[in-house]
Amino acid sequence: MEKRLYRVEEGKMICGVCAGVAEYFKLDPTVVRLVWAVASCFGFAGVIAYIAAVLIIPERPKMIE
C-alpha cells in the first residue's frame, strides 16, 4: 500500500493537519503541534503554512466497513 499524507479525523484539534503529518512521519502529534505553534510565533509563517496545508492536503477517505 502506498504511503500518503492525509488530514485525519481521529485525534484532530482544528482541521487534522498536525495529526496527519504526525501519522505520516510516525511522530507524536503533540510534538508536531508544538513545532507548528512555535513557527506561528515567528513572522506568522506557521499560520500561513497551516492554512495552505488545510487547502492542499486531502482528507483521508472514509473506510467502508
Side-chain angles (χ1 to χ4, degrees), residues 11-42:
K12 78 175 190 175
M13 293 194 104
I14 298 176
C15 292
V17 173
C18 291
V21 169
E23 183 179 283
Y24 184 81
F25 289 109
K26 294 181 175 56
L27 298 170
D28 183 12
T30 305
V31 172
V32 177
R33 289 180 184 119
L34 286 173
V35 169
W36 223 296
V38 169
S40 296
C41 292
F42 296 105

Side-chain angles (χ1 to χ4, degrees), residues 39-56:
S40 296
C41 292
F42 296 105
F44 206 60
V47 174
I48 293 170
Y50 193 89
I51 292 169
V54 169
L55 296 173
I56 295 170

